[in-house]
Amino acid sequence: STAEYMGVNGCGQASSAMFRKKLCVSSAHVVSNKDRKKLKTAILERFKIQENDFVTIFPSKEEITSVKLNDRTIVYSVRDSPMFFDVQARQDLIPTVYALWLVPHLIPSLPVHSPVSKFILGGADFMWPGLAVQLSALGQFVAGDLRGVVVPGNSAAFAVGRLLCGTADAVRQQGKGKALEVLHTYHDELWDLGSKQVPEGFFPHRVYATTALQRAGTTGLDTDSGGSMSGEDENPTDRTGEEEEEKEEEE
């Protein structure tokens, strides 16, 4: 439940997500052909994807722009949308949600309950009580592994983060404690650099299963709404934020 997720495990605590504040760009340039090849090699080796996956993200005839932020983080963009970022130029490439929407299998998914998305989008790290599947369903993992955070019934990732423990430690914690350091989310300042187009089920303050929207008879997205649907049978555009808070407290 939402109450359990917000309880002693500290869901309400702000995370160290990088892109909560306005970004300061120190420089930008078009990537040379030589550096483009280096970037492709690095991405193919790190994420074990095919060349056609790279082309899906970075079309051959499109320029790649390298943007350097004040903290030395490098952002690689195409068509004005950020696709990867390298934290403080450490050769640590991480995909954005834009890249994951194009190639979902870049990194494994981490399914969370829809109400939990509200807290992650608000700046919280992910806690184990919010996991929407059995821990065993995640397979083997180690601390530092990247995960794309999704809501069951919606394959589009709304956040990207790094696991804080491995399988054995997670089992010992018995589903409690902090699980994932959130690095980037839909609707943060990095996402704001891009096209701002969003998949079905994405609202500014929460992400829903697409099946829930279909049952509610919702067509298209209203990105100005609070996404305040509390149950699968309700229309997300019919409830106010206040009503949502009351409903979630009951959950």
Side-chain angles (χ1 to χ4, degrees), residues 5-212:
Y5 187 77
M6 292 180 64
V8 295
N9 294 294
C11 168
Q13 296 176 358
S15 80
S16 55
M18 298 176 53
F19 304 110
R20 308 305 303 178
K21 297 180 180 180
K22 203 71 177 176
L23 302 182
C24 296
V25 175
S26 63
S27 65
H29 68 273
V30 174
V31 172
S32 68
N33 287 337
K34 180 180 178 180
D35 287 340
R36 185 187 188 106
K37 290 177 181 177
K38 288 181 179 179
L39 178 64
K40 181 173 77 170
T41 299
I43 290 174
L44 295 186
E45 290 181 353
R46 177 170 170 79
F47 299 100
K48 312 302 181 187
I49 59 173
Q50 302 299 313
E51 186 168 348
N52 64 312
D53 293 322
F54 179 85
V55 174
T56 297
I57 299 170
F58 295 114
S60 300
K61 295 184 179 180
E62 297 285 345
E63 293 181 337
I64 299 176
T65 302
S66 173
V67 176
K68 188 174 183 179
L69 306 181
N70 278 2
D71 67 352
R72 297 179 61 234
T73 292
I74 298 173
V75 179
Y76 295 99
S77 300
V78 65
R79 295 173 179 167
D80 295 325
S81 287
M83 294 297 171
F84 285 86
F85 58 99
D86 180 3
V87 181
Q88 296 182 349
R90 297 174 186 162
Q91 305 299 309
D92 184 18
L93 289 165
I94 299 168
T96 68
V97 291
Y98 286 109
L100 291 176
W101 296 342
L102 293 172
V103 183
H105 57 271
L106 263 173
I107 56 176
S109 296
L110 184 71
V112 307
H113 295 294
S114 177
V116 173
S117 66
K118 174 181 177 180
F119 300 104
I120 294 175
L121 293 175
D125 280 329
F126 173 66
M127 316 296 290
W128 284 121
L131 190 65
V133 297
Q134 294 294 318
L135 185 62
S136 58
L138 301 182
Q140 295 294 310
F141 53 89
V142 299
D145 281 354
L146 295 174
R147 289 293 184 270
V149 187
V150 301
V151 166
N154 191 332
S155 61
F158 68 87
V160 179
R162 203 187 303 275
L163 289 169
L164 294 171
C165 63
T167 307
D169 286 337
V171 171
R172 279 195 291 270
Q173 291 175 21
Q174 298 182 329
K176 298 179 181 179
K178 188 177 290 190
L180 185 88
E181 177 191 12
V182 176
L183 303 172
H184 154 60
T185 70
Y186 146 72
H187 235 277
D188 67 8
E189 293 296 327
L190 181 60
W191 170 86
D192 196 56
L193 291 178
S195 67
K196 302 182 181 64
Q197 293 181 341
V198 295
E200 185 181 5
F202 280 52
F203 292 81
H205 305 296
R206 188 166 161 181
V207 176
Y208 299 92
T210 55
T211 51

